Structures are given as C-alpha cells and as structure tokens.
Amino acid sequence: MEEAMEFAAVAQSDGINFHVLTYQTLVAAIRKKSDASHIGYLEYFEKRYFA
C-alpha cells in the first residue's frame, strides 16, 4: 500500500487524478451502489477472495 500511496502522490503532482484503495473498499462501494440482482455475485466474490 505504501508504494501505491507514493505513486498517487507523484501522479497527483503531475495533475493526474489517481486514488488508492483496496479491493475490499472497491467491492464495498460497488455493493452500496448495486441493486439486489447483484448481491449474490458480490457475496460469492467476497467469500472467494476475502475469506
């Protein structure tokens, strides 16, 4: 994560909008914006990759 934060700082100093986040954070954000039809897949994905 430290390397990603360093890269983000360099990218932002060059005017590039870059955000660092984990897959867990990404999936949580997707879950909040998804409708009920995607919950099954998100649950599968979380169990498969985060358990």
Side-chain angles (χ1 to χ4, degrees), residues 34-48:
S34 294
D35 61 34
S37 67
H38 299 287
I39 296 302
Y41 178 75
L42 291 169
E43 288 174 351
Y44 156 78
F45 188 89
E46 290 169 340
K47 287 178 187 173
R48 172 126 169 99

Side-chain angles (χ1 to χ4, degrees), residues 19-35:
H19 298 276
V20 176
L21 63 142
T22 65
Y23 281 114
Q24 290 88 343
T25 303
L26 175 63
V27 172
I30 291 171
R31 181 185 275 272
K32 286 181 184 177
K33 295 182 181 209
S34 294
D35 61 34

